[in-house]
Amino acid sequence: MKAAIFSIGGLIGAAIGLPAIAYVVGPALKQAAGVWIRLGAISKVELDNPTLFKTTLETQTGWISTQEEISAYVLTSNGQDFQVLSNVCTHLGCRVRWIADDSRFHCPCHNGVFAKDGTVVSGPPPRPLDRFENKVENGILYIKRG
Amino acid sequence: MLDKFANWMDERFAWRQAWEAIFLRKVPHVNWLYTLGSATLFVAVVQIVTGILLTLYYVPTPDHAYDSVVYITTQLPAGWLIRGLHHWGASAMIVLVVLHLLRVFFYGAYKYPREVTWITGVLLLLVVVGFGFTGYLLPWDQKAYWATTVGTRIAGVAPLVGDWILRIARGGPDLSAVTLARFFGTHVWILPASLVALISIHLYLVIRIGISAVPERNEES
C-alpha cells in the first residue's frame, strides 16, 4: 500500500516535474544559428588603425523583436586582409574602447588593457579579444555571428 | 544511514508524531465521496506549481500579456502542457469544490463541532471563484477582455455601491493596464495568501476534530 502510494505519487511528480525542467531551461539552452551580418564598406577602414563599425541586428528574444547593436573593431594592415575584433571584454563582458593616444584598447570596468591585435597587455582579462570570422564581397565587409 | 538521519530529525522535529497525527489518524468507515476534499487539495497543488511556472514567462501588461502567453503555448518546451494543466485545473477546481461542498451539505457534516471548518470552506469557495475571475483576464485576448468588461459591469449594477465596486475592480472607469496589473497582483499574491491561510485552518480542523461518519437511519431511538 505504502509502496503503491509512493510510486503513484512519484509518477505524478515526474509527469509534471520533468516537463517543468524542460520548460524552465528550454529557451536558455537554445543555440542561435550562425548568420552573416553586413558590417560596412571596407573603404572606411583606416590602415593600421582599429576602426569601429556599428550595425544593428534584428533578433527575436522571447516574444519581443529587438534591434541588437553590434560593434566591432576592424583592423587591416594592407587593405585586403581584415581582422574583426569583438568589443566585448573577455573578463566580464563590458565594452572596450580604442584609445588612439595610447594605441590600446581599454576596458572601463576593471582596467583590462588589450593591444591593437587584441592580445592582453594587462589587467584581469583571461584571453585576447574574440575575433569574428569575416568575408568581403563587392567591397562590403561581413562578419559571422552565432 | 537513512534510518539514522530519520531518527536524528525525529528527535528534533518529532516528525513521526506529526506523520501519525496526519496520515495514520483513525477515520470512520466512509465512501468515495469523502475523497473530494483531497482531490480538491491535489488540484490546488497542481495549480500552485503550474501557476508559479507560468509567472516565469508571463508579463502582465497590455503590450506583452497576450504575446507572452502565445510564446508560452507555442514556443516553450511543454509550455502547452503547463498552461493546459493550469487552464483545465481551474475548471476542475470549481467542479471539485462545489461537489465537495454538496457532499458536506447533504451529509450534514457542517454541524457541531465542525462549523468553523464549514465557514472556512465557504470562504475557500469564494477564493477559488476569485481565482477563476481574475485568472480569466490574464491572457488579455478578446474573450478575456470582454468577459471582464461584462463581469465587472455585473458588479456595477449592485444598488448604491455598484459604481464604486466597478471602479475599484477596474482601477478606473474602464478596463486598462491598471485593471490587468491589479488582477494579476490579486491572482498571484492576495488570493494565494488567502488560500494558504484558509487551507491551513481548514486542514488543521479536519485533523484536530476528525471527519464525520456517514449519517445512518436510526429509527429505534
Side-chain angles (χ1 to χ4, degrees), chain A residues 2 5-6 8-9 12-13 15-28 30 60-64, chain B residues 19 42 46 49-50 53-59 63-65 67-68 71-72 75-79 81-82 85:
Chain A
K2 206 170 173 181
I5 290 171
F6 276 104
I8 291 171
I12 295 171
I16 296 182
L18 296 178
I21 292 170
Y23 171 87
V24 173
V25 304
K30 218 176 195 172
Q60 186 76 20
T61 49
W63 55 92
I64 299 173
Chain B
W19 179 271
F42 171 77
V46 171
V49 171
T50 54
L53 288 170
L54 287 172
T55 62
L56 292 188
Y57 296 102
Y58 176 74
V59 175
D63 48 353
H64 291 304
D67 288 340
S68 64
Y71 176 74
I72 290 168
Q75 303 295 313
L76 288 174
L81 179 68
I82 305 292
L85 281 171

Side-chain angles (χ1 to χ4, degrees), chain B residues 139-163:
Chain B
W140 201 250
D141 53 9
Q142 288 290 323
K143 192 170 70 166
Y145 185 89
W146 293 107
T148 304
T149 300
V150 171
T152 47
R153 183 69 72 80
I154 289 171
V157 299
L160 300 175
V161 292
D163 189 54

Side-chain angles (χ1 to χ4, degrees), chain B residues 5-63:
Chain B
F5 178 68
N7 289 334
W8 190 90
M9 291 295 274
D10 190 52
E11 268 182 58
R12 284 148 185 86
F13 284 83
W15 65 267
R16 286 201 176 96
Q17 210 181 326
W19 179 271
E20 273 172 34
I22 295 168
F23 295 110
L24 307 177
R25 69 200 142 89
K26 295 270 185 289
V27 291
H29 187 75
V30 293
N31 59 40
W32 279 93
L33 293 177
Y34 282 73
T35 60
L36 285 166
S38 302
T40 312
L41 180 64
F42 171 77
V43 178
V45 170
V46 171
Q47 292 302 92
I48 290 168
V49 171
T50 54
I52 288 171
L53 288 170
L54 287 172
T55 62
L56 292 188
Y57 296 102
Y58 176 74
V59 175
T61 61
D63 48 353

Side-chain angles (χ1 to χ4, degrees), chain B residues 185-199:
Chain B
T186 307
H187 192 81
V188 305
W189 288 117
I190 298 172
L191 292 174
S194 318
L195 185 87
V196 168
L198 287 167
I199 286 180

Side-chain angles (χ1 to χ4, degrees), chain B residues 53-212:
Chain B
L53 288 170
L54 287 172
T55 62
L56 292 188
Y57 296 102
Y58 176 74
V59 175
T61 61
D63 48 353
H64 291 304
Y66 180 73
D67 288 340
S68 64
V69 169
V70 170
Y71 176 74
I72 290 168
T73 318
T74 62
Q75 303 295 313
L76 288 174
W80 59 272
L81 179 68
I82 305 292
R83 186 184 167 209
L85 281 171
H86 201 73
H87 175 96
W88 291 103
S91 297
M93 279 300 288
I94 302 281
V95 171
L96 286 169
V97 287
V98 169
L99 290 176
H100 179 50
L101 177 140
L102 291 175
R103 197 279 293 170
V104 170
F105 178 75
F106 284 116
Y107 280 7
Y110 53 86
K111 293 177 189 171
Y112 174 85
R114 300 187 178 81
E115 301 96 322
V116 180
T117 322
W118 169 262
I119 291 165
T120 51
V122 172
L123 293 175
L124 278 165
L125 172 69
L126 294 178
V127 167
V128 168
V129 171
F131 267 118
F133 185 63
T134 51
Y136 208 80
L137 178 67
L138 302 186
W140 201 250
D141 53 9
Q142 288 290 323
K143 192 170 70 166
Y145 185 89
W146 293 107
T148 304
T149 300
V150 171
T152 47
R153 183 69 72 80
I154 289 171
V157 299
L160 300 175
V161 292
D163 189 54
W164 187 75
I165 295 171
L166 178 138
R167 278 167 170 274
I168 298 222
R170 291 182 178 179
D174 299 305
L175 247 67
S176 65
V178 179
T179 320
L180 182 57
R182 70 211 278 112
F183 270 50
F184 177 74
T186 307
H187 192 81
V188 305
W189 288 117
I190 298 172
L191 292 174
S194 318
L195 185 87
V196 168
L198 287 167
I199 286 180
S200 305
I201 301 170
H202 200 72
L203 289 184
Y204 170 76
L205 291 172
V206 166
I207 291 158
R208 178 83 181 75
I209 301 172
I211 58 174
S212 64

